[in-house]
Amino acid sequence: GQREAATREAMAAHALAPDDPAIAIQAARLLQGQGDDGPSRAAKLLDGYVRAHPDEQAVRLALARVYLADRQLKPARATIDAALKRDPDDPQALFLSAHAAYQAKDLGTVRSQLIRYTDLPDAARRKLDRRAVTRAEIEGLSGLLGDDDHQLI
């Protein structure tokens, strides 16, 4: 159908512009929804991009989101840790770290990462990609913080 055609077009665009991070991310998003092997194909595309462009943080975080959506916690955490090593105050990486910890039922790490996130200046937190992290996800994880802790939004 239309989604398969869009995926083919995105992959063709990625082949024509293999160094464009936005095209790589879009192609992976579409691949992710394509059958049982979609998430692994999306991860392979993004992993290859990150290996070729190690400074591209947006693609690294997109790869982490693919792993998280597919419940692959070990590679997700390794990818997020690499992102945090590059930029310890990256709001998306901090939030994804909390999300991965939540999936692993590691509530102590969820709490510590969310506190690190809320301690960021407002301008940094506003950079959080709302397409990547929904308000419901933020509110769901922020419910783990007590009333005396920081507000996420």
Side-chain angles (χ1 to χ4, degrees):
Q2 291 181 338
R3 187 164 180 88
E4 291 83 10
T7 302
R8 284 191 302 275
E9 292 294 324
M11 292 303 294
H14 177 61
L16 291 171
D19 296 324
D20 187 316
I23 292 174
I25 291 169
Q26 186 58 41
R29 283 181 181 154
L30 289 165
L31 272 175
Q32 194 173 359
Q34 297 296 308
D36 291 341
D37 67 340
S40 64
R41 291 172 55 210
K44 183 177 178 181
L45 183 150
L46 294 174
D47 184 63
Y49 190 96
V50 169
R51 289 178 190 276
H53 305 88
D55 294 330
E56 189 56 59
Q57 188 83 325
V59 178
R60 186 181 312 279
L61 295 173
L63 176 59
R65 285 190 292 276
V66 168
Y67 286 139
L68 285 172
D70 201 34
R71 302 247 184 249
Q72 294 185 48
L73 294 180
K74 188 173 181 179
R77 287 185 113 162
T79 303
I80 295 164
D81 288 347
L84 286 170
K85 185 175 180 182
R86 291 188 165 283
D87 182 358
D89 294 327
D90 184 308
Q92 288 186 54
L94 287 169
F95 185 83
L96 288 172
S97 179
H99 188 70
Y102 181 76
Q103 281 190 12
K105 300 182 182 1
D106 178 0
L107 297 184
T109 300
V110 172
R111 183 179 177 82
S112 68
Q113 294 300 70
L114 289 177
I115 288 172
R116 282 182 61 201
Y117 169 79
T118 59
D119 284 345
L120 293 174
D122 286 342
R125 286 190 289 150
R126 279 195 295 272
K127 290 181 184 177
L128 187 63
D129 183 350
R130 297 294 182 180
R131 292 169 297 168
V133 180
T134 67
R135 184 176 184 87
E137 287 176 309
I138 292 172
E139 289 171 352
L141 287 178
S142 68
L144 298 172
L145 295 175
D147 292 334
D148 296 332
D149 289 312
H150 304 78
Q151 293 293 322
L152 284 179
I153 39 183

